[in-house]
Amino acid sequence: MESGPAEIAHVSDTALMTAACRAMETARPDGLTSDPFAARLAGERGMAIARQIPDFDRMCFGMGVRTRFLDGLVVETIAEQDIGTVLNLGAGLDTRPWRLQLPAALRWIEVDLAPMLAYKTNLMADAQPHCLLECIAADVTDPDMRDAVFAAAGDAPVLLITEGLLMYLPAEAVDSLAAQP
């Protein structure tokens, strides 16, 4: 994932770019978010991809706003709705299990393609999540894999996160996710 020119060649490159934006926001004295893991996950390739984007400072600001808003929403929803499991589809390089104060008994299930999960697991091996972290390698456009992912979430109240994912999926996959009980 770290080699090649500084351009987006695969959807996974957008995860590197997003991590780079979080790293840049974190480095700002007035940054909207703080993600101590973002720079390591973005790597040189992610930083190079982000820097090539026209007006990338504005994009990083937007990612900072999105991250700050969703961080608050996730923490608030888990507390107020007695959420037992978070199911993060297309988790990419999200670091919420490591950087948010979450209940230790909370199950957090990250779902993504196997190469993305392997990359992230390798780079986060020395960090301890604040909750019970599980990873499932799956392509959510595959109906059988999608059903297995939802079955793995179980019956506890589930918070479903699809941050940055839906725009990459075909309409029928989005419809199926929305109709999932």
Side-chain angles (χ1 to χ4, degrees):
M1 230 201 292
E2 284 289 323
S3 61
E7 60 187 39
I8 295 174
H10 186 270
V11 67
S12 296
D13 291 337
T14 64
L16 294 172
M17 177 193 68
T18 300
C21 286
R22 286 195 321 268
M24 291 176 198
E25 260 314 288
T26 297
R28 291 169 40 106
D30 61 345
L32 294 170
T33 190
S34 177
D35 185 345
F37 308 106
R40 93 164 73 162
L41 291 170
E44 291 180 26
R45 179 163 165 65
M47 298 304 271
I49 289 170
R51 286 188 185 105
Q52 274 196 305
I53 295 183
D55 208 9
F56 80 94
D57 285 334
R58 187 180 318 216
M59 185 181 72
C60 291
F61 174 77
M63 291 291 180
V65 169
R66 180 177 95 174
T67 300
R68 185 173 180 151
F69 172 77
L70 288 175
D71 284 357
L73 186 60
V74 165
V75 169
E76 180 180 309
T77 302
I78 289 169
E80 291 181 2
Q81 301 297 318
D82 196 31
I83 299 296
T85 301
V86 173
L87 186 57
N88 190 356
L89 302 184
L93 300 177
D94 180 30
T95 60
R96 288 183 179 101
W98 292 271
R99 63 184 174 75
L100 295 184
Q101 293 305 309
L102 301 168
L106 176 74
R107 284 180 69 208
W108 189 290
I109 303 172
E110 295 195 326
V111 180
D112 212 315
L113 301 175
M116 176 61 68
L117 291 174
Y119 174 82
K120 182 175 175 180
T121 298
N122 180 53
L123 289 175
M124 295 299 288
D126 66 338
Q128 185 67 36
H130 296 257
C131 58
L132 304 172
L133 181 63
E134 303 171 33
C135 295
I136 299 175
D139 178 350
V140 296
T141 63
D142 179 295
D144 293 332
M145 287 186 175
R146 189 172 51 245
D147 289 345
V149 163
F150 280 96
D155 294 329
V158 175
L159 172 62
L160 177 64
I161 299 174
T162 60
E163 178 184 8
L165 171 68
L166 300 180
M167 65 186 171
Y168 296 105
L169 300 181
E172 57 274 4
V174 174
D175 291 344
S176 294
L177 285 171
Q180 196 72 35

